[in-house]
Amino acid sequence: MAQKIYDSPAAALDGLLFDGMTIMSGGFGLSGNPESLIPEIRAAGVRDLTVISNNAGADGFGLWMLLESRQIAKMISSYVGENKLFEQQYLSGELELELNPQGTLAERIRAGGAGIPAFFTKTGYGTVVAEGKPVEEFDGEMYVRETWLKSDLSIVKAWRADPAGNLMFRRTARNFNPNMAAAGKVTVVEVEEIVPEGTFDPDCIHTPGIYVDRIVQSTINEKRIEKLTTRAREA
C-alpha cells in the first residue's frame, strides 16, 4: 500500500498546485471546511483558480482567504448570500460565477465521481439557470440537461481516517465532502484524528480509501459558528 499520510498540510499539497487549475473544496456554510489546507493554497500563490464549493466561506474564514488574495477567477457554487467580498467581486466583474441550484450542484459533483457525463433535472427549467442548456421532455414534463463536475484537486475535511484512507465524517461535516472526494483527480484529506487500520467497522466507512490519495492531520479545527442564536435562560 502506498504511503498516504503526510507530515503537514503544505507537504500534502506539494507538487499538486498550478495556475488555472480546478479545485473542489468541501463544506456547507462553515461546517466541514478544509481549514488547514486552504491557507497553504493561499501561501503557494497559485492564481486563476476555478473553485467548486457550495459557498465561499465567511469573513476571514475558509475560501474567503483565496477571494481576498484574488487567487480565484471563477466560482461554481450555490450559496453566496453571506459573503460580502464574494458579492463585491462578482458585481464588479472581477469574479466569474456559475450559480447552481444546491441539489443540482450536489448531483453534478456526484455524477463526476460516478463517471456520469450528464443527467436531466426539472430544477431550473424556464429560468436563467437553463439558458444555453439542452432541454428534453419526459412524461410530459420538461427537464434541463446538466453536466458532471470534476476537479484537478479535491480538498476535504473529515473526522477520522485510517492509513488506507478510509474516512468517517461527523454529522453535518459530511455534506459535500464524500462526493468531492470521489470527483477529484487527486484528493487530499485533512482529518482530526488518524486511527490504526482495523478501527472502522466496514459498515461505518463513509468514503472508501480508494478515493483518497493523501491524508494529513489538521492543524486548524476552529469550527466557527456562522450565526449564534441563543435564548434567555429560564428562571
Side-chain angles (χ1 to χ4, degrees):
M1 183 186 300
Q3 173 59 251
K4 294 185 177 183
I5 299 174
Y6 285 71
D7 293 334
S8 68
L13 292 170
D14 185 45
L16 301 179
L17 302 174
F18 57 90
D19 290 347
M21 71 186 302
T22 297
I23 298 175
M24 284 187 181
S25 181
F28 181 95
L30 303 187
S31 178
N33 280 253
E35 299 169 79
S36 308
L37 292 169
I38 290 171
E40 298 302 332
I41 295 174
R42 175 170 172 141
V46 287
R47 310 198 70 81
D48 297 322
L49 302 175
T50 295
V51 177
I52 302 167
S53 183
N54 181 65
N55 56 293
D59 287 353
F61 182 84
L63 291 173
W64 183 95
M65 300 175 67
L66 300 183
L67 290 174
E68 196 271 339
S69 59
R70 273 45 180 188
Q71 289 171 261
I72 300 177
K74 178 179 180 179
M75 284 292 306
I76 301 175
S77 56
S78 174
Y79 183 68
V80 302
E82 299 296 330
N83 190 318
K84 297 304 180 185
L85 181 59
F86 193 143
E87 178 185 5
Q88 291 165 9
Q89 291 188 10
Y90 170 64
L91 292 176
S92 69
E94 188 177 353
L95 177 70
E96 185 180 351
L97 171 62
E98 184 179 328
L99 194 62
N100 291 252
Q102 196 166 79
T104 300
L105 179 66
E107 183 64 8
R108 291 181 72 190
I109 294 167
R110 191 198 69 82
I116 300 169
F119 60 93
F120 286 88
T121 176
K122 287 177 66 176
T123 306
Y125 175 72
T127 73
V128 293
V129 170
E131 288 181 1
K133 298 175 183 177
V135 296
E136 197 165 330
E137 183 177 339
F138 297 91
D139 293 336
E141 301 279 355
M142 301 305 295
Y143 288 74
V144 182
R145 192 182 79 186
E146 297 282 358
T147 54
W148 59 7
L149 287 172
K150 299 185 287 182
S151 65
D152 299 303
L153 170 67
S154 289
I155 53 173
V156 168
K157 177 74 172 274
W159 175 35
R160 308 172 88 192
D162 66 16
N166 298 307
L167 305 179
M168 288 182 67
F169 298 91
R170 191 170 186 273
R171 298 177 180 172
T172 311
R174 193 168 173 181
N175 52 60
F176 285 85
N177 278 305
N179 286 339
M180 287 186 172
K185 188 179 296 183
V186 178
T187 295
V188 179
V189 182
E190 62 171 89
V191 298
E192 296 181 46
E193 184 181 354
I194 298 174
V195 300
E197 286 185 41
T199 299
F200 295 146
D201 180 327
D203 285 339
C204 296
I205 293 171
H206 298 144
T207 293
I210 193 167
Y211 293 119
V212 174
D213 299 286
R214 300 183 180 186
I215 308 161
V216 64
Q217 190 148 8
S218 53
T219 56
I220 304 172
N221 292 299
E222 189 174 344
K223 300 182 182 179
R224 289 192 194 183
I225 298 173
E226 191 166 5
K227 290 185 178 182
L228 180 63
T229 303
T230 61
R231 61 187 172 92
R233 186 184 297 273
E234 295 180 5

